[in-house]
């Protein structure tokens, strides 16, 4: 595996790559969720490039940029084990040199609600870094997890709007046996908080039951029941519950087809998100 740390080296290495290039952008501290994306890329592409970059531009003031978990040596060992061809580990200084002032912003309803409302600037930071990484790596396919449902849709929108010749591949959420969606931020949870965090995936199971088994059709009613459940859950501070159109992420009123249920909450010092597509 080649470890590339500068932008010029990445361009040089890319120019010599042949065949389909699959790219998995990550912020490191890899878990089974990331590994599932890498394995999918490995199965579908001749060359696999993975980036490890904790992107300061997608963290707001007071968020966890400084303490975001990092373990480069462990990440590189895992990538080596997955037979990754290139690990791209750029520096903040090179990605955002002094004077950096160009941003990529997806606008409109897709970006305004949910994470867009709760974390101002976050999605802009994601779109900007992903476009920069796409330019440097020039992949044919790029792999993203469905846990970050809004991020995935923002990146699809950007890729289409800016005519990038890249196929965006969505990969299913990987969960712990008790349902907790894998996230690098789970490391912030104490054992008690880890128990409390199960409420998020349980609220999605409740949505599934209300819609599929009880036949509830009024989105407001389902939303209210989930809010009630999460507000009563010990150790959980609810941010939002949304029943959204799976493509536009606009809030639905009546449930007449597939609906994406999204939840966000704080548990201890971790802000967690989860979602489920209810057919
Ligand atoms: O999902 C993530 O880990 C990040 O948002 C991404 C896509 C690597 C951009 O920094």
């Amino acid at each position: 595996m080649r470890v590339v740390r500068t932008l010029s080296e990445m361009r040089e290495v890319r120019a010599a790559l042949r065949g389909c290039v699959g790219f998995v952008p990550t912020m490191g501290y890899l878990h089974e969720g990331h590994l599932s994306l890498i394995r999918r890329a490995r199965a579908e592409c001749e060359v696999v490039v993975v980036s490890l970059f904790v992107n300061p531009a997608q963290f707001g003031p007071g968020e966890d940029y400084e303490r975001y978990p990092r373990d480069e040596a462990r990440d590189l060992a895992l990538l080596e084990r997955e037979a990754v061809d290139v690990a791209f580990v750029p520096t903040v200084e090179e990605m955002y040199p002094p004077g950096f002032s160009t941003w990529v912003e997806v606008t409109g309803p897709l970006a305004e609600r949910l994470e867009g409302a709760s974390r101002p600037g976050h999605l802009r930071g994601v779109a900007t870094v992903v476009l920069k990484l796409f330019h440097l790596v020039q992949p044919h396919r790029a792999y993203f997890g469905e846990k970050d449902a809004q991020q995935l849709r923002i990146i699809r929108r950007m890729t289409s709007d800016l005519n990038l010749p890249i196929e965006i591949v969505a990969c299913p959420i990987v969960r712990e046996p008790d349902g907790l969606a894998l996230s690098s931020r789970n490391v912030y949870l104490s054992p008690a908080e880890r128990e409390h965090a199960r409420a998020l995936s349980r609220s999605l199971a409740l949505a599934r039951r209300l819609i599929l088994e009880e036949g509830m059709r009024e989105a407001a009613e389902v939303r209210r029941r989930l809010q009630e459940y999460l507000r009563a859950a010990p150790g959980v501070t609810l941010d939002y519950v949304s029943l959204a159109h799976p493509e536009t992420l606009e809030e639905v009123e009546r449930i007449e087809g597939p609906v994406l249920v999204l939840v966000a909450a704080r548990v201890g010092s971790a802000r967690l998100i989860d979602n489920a597509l209810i057919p």
Side-chain angles (χ1 to χ4, degrees):
M1 182 177 77
R2 177 124 178 212
V3 181
V4 172
R5 294 186 184 276
T6 67
L7 309 196
S8 60
E9 191 188 354
M10 186 63 237
R11 284 198 195 91
E12 221 174 87
V13 166
R14 175 61 187 96
L17 297 177
R18 296 287 168 266
C20 174
V21 174
F23 177 44
V24 183
T26 81
M27 298 210 297
Y29 212 72
L30 303 176
H31 52 63
E32 280 298 320
H34 297 114
L35 298 183
S36 74
L37 308 182
I38 293 166
R39 288 175 191 145
R40 174 99 177 254
R42 184 69 284 165
E44 295 180 354
C45 306
E46 270 119 348
V47 179
V48 177
V49 180
V50 177
S51 61
L52 305 173
F53 181 64
V54 184
N55 172 34
Q58 68 188 75
F59 292 79
E63 289 189 358
D64 56 344
Y65 173 66
E66 297 297 340
R67 71 177 190 121
Y68 193 84
R70 294 161 169 89
D71 190 342
E72 189 190 296
R74 178 179 160 277
D75 287 345
L76 291 176
L78 285 169
L79 296 183
E80 187 95 57
R81 207 184 306 156
E82 297 298 330
V84 165
D85 300 286
V86 179
F88 181 37
V89 195
T91 62
V92 172
E93 291 68 30
E94 259 211 300
M95 289 294 276
Y96 298 106
F100 181 91
S101 33
T102 302
W103 298 97
V104 181
E105 187 152 26
V106 175
T107 57
L110 188 57
E112 283 162 3
R113 303 179 51 245
L114 310 169
E115 297 304 286
S118 291
R119 303 182 65 191
H122 166 67
L123 293 169
R124 179 182 89 151
V126 169
T128 303
V129 82
V130 169
L131 184 64
K132 282 165 71 69
L133 292 167
F134 279 178
H135 281 315
L136 292 158
V137 175
Q138 295 177 35
H140 297 93
R141 294 197 183 129
Y143 296 80
F144 292 87
E146 280 172 351
K147 186 170 81 68
D148 294 290
Q150 192 174 18
Q151 162 175 290
L152 171 65
R153 285 157 182 80
I154 291 284
I155 288 163
R156 276 197 202 288
R157 185 77 258 160
M158 173 188 81
T159 304
S160 159
D161 288 352
L162 300 183
N163 312 108
L164 306 178
I166 301 170
E167 184 190 338
I168 305 300
V169 183
C171 302
I173 298 176
V174 179
R175 297 180 180 279
E176 299 280 7
D178 68 358
L180 180 68
L182 294 195
S183 162
S184 302
R185 289 189 167 99
N186 291 351
V187 74
Y188 300 149
L189 300 169
S190 70
E193 290 162 354
R194 170 69 188 72
E195 279 303 300
H196 297 155
R198 295 167 71 182
L200 274 80
S201 62
R202 286 182 170 170
S203 74
L204 299 175
L206 172 62
R208 181 178 293 275
R209 202 184 74 225
L210 293 174
I211 296 168
L212 296 182
E213 290 170 28
E214 296 184 22
M216 220 175 245
R217 289 287 164 266
E218 290 304 323
E221 184 57 14
V222 179
R223 199 178 309 117
R224 193 185 59 74
R225 290 284 295 274
L226 266 60
Q227 285 168 341
E228 241 173 48
Y229 176 80
L230 285 165
R231 286 193 180 120
V236 174
T237 309
L238 176 63
D239 182 351
Y240 60 73
V241 171
S242 168
L243 277 84
H245 184 284
E247 272 150 46
T248 65
L249 293 190
E250 281 172 293
E251 208 62 28
V252 299
E253 282 183 18
R254 274 200 61 83
I255 302 165
E256 262 143 13
V259 65
L260 188 67
V261 183
L262 305 105
V263 294
R266 193 166 281 282
V267 179
S269 65
R271 186 173 179 283
L272 304 176
I273 56 174
D274 201 351
N275 69 82
L277 181 68
I278 316 274

